[in-house]
Amino acid sequence: MLKDQVTTLLNDALEEDGSLFLIDFSITNDNKIKVVIDGDQGVTVQDCMKISRAIEHNLDRDEVDFALEVASAGATAPLVMPRQYKKNVGRKMEVKTSEATIEGNLTAATDDGIVLEWKAREPKPIGKGKVTVQKKQEIDFSDIKEAKVILKF
């Protein structure tokens, strides 16, 4: 079956380059194959071409007609795997949990969750006015509903 063949070829190609990993993979009823990858150091066009060739060159078009698209995870796409957070340490993120939406700098990513840090203006404990305080929150992956990198231009 086509899906099994492609899955095997895809896994073999990803194993060859340990820095690349699969984000999404689908095959439609009319054999349109779509593969979305990411990498610990990002994804280059050459990475996409390498994965594409590993699949395309090992399938027989006389046997089955197919279309193949290999793409990198978009810069604005939500992060879906814990491995993606590690490469984004140091970047500003927007993280939605069931309780709140937090914008902050991703300062750490572990196997269990992330650490966000940000500055906030809060009322002074004594007297009038506000003071800037440094905030820090650990968030488990299980509590994250959606997380995106905030791009600066």
Side-chain angles (χ1 to χ4, degrees), residues 5 10 34 36 41 43 47 58 66 69 71-72 78 81 83 87 89 91 94 99-100 103 112 123 125 139 145 149:
Q5 280 182 297
L10 181 56
K34 181 168 182 169
V36 180
Q41 287 84 42
V43 177
D47 292 331
N58 291 293
F66 63 90
E69 177 187 348
S72 63
M81 295 180 67
R83 191 169 173 180
K87 77 171 196 165
V89 168
R91 298 183 82 179
E94 178 184 83
E99 289 87 41
E103 279 191 19
D112 301 317
I139 305 169
K145 302 284 182 236
V149 173

Side-chain angles (χ1 to χ4, degrees), residues 20-123:
L20 297 176
F21 52 95
L22 184 65
I23 298 296
D24 193 24
F25 165 57
S26 62
I27 299 179
T28 62
N29 290 338
D30 56 349
N31 294 335
K32 289 184 180 159
I33 304 164
K34 181 168 182 169
V35 176
V36 180
I37 58 173
D38 204 345
D40 296 325
Q41 287 84 42
V43 177
T44 65
V45 172
Q46 285 77 16
D47 292 331
C48 291
M49 288 168 44
K50 181 171 53 177
I51 300 297
S52 177
R53 286 186 184 125
I55 296 168
E56 189 171 3
H57 291 177
N58 291 293
L59 293 177
D60 187 354
R61 282 195 186 273
D62 293 335
E63 226 174 83
V64 61
D65 188 33
F66 63 90
L68 174 63
E69 177 187 348
V70 178
S72 63
T76 59
L79 305 185
V80 294
M81 295 180 67
R83 191 169 173 180
Q84 289 179 287
Y85 290 87
K86 290 180 179 162
K87 77 171 196 165
N88 286 298
V89 168
R91 298 183 82 179
K92 191 170 184 176
M93 307 269 313
E94 178 184 83
V95 178
K96 292 179 184 173
T97 66
S98 54
E99 289 87 41
T101 298
I102 305 164
E103 279 191 19
N105 292 316
L106 180 63
T107 56
T110 66
D111 292 337
D112 301 317
I114 62 171
V115 177
L116 284 182
E117 293 186 30
W118 68 98
K119 289 186 169 124
R121 298 283 290 161
E122 293 185 350

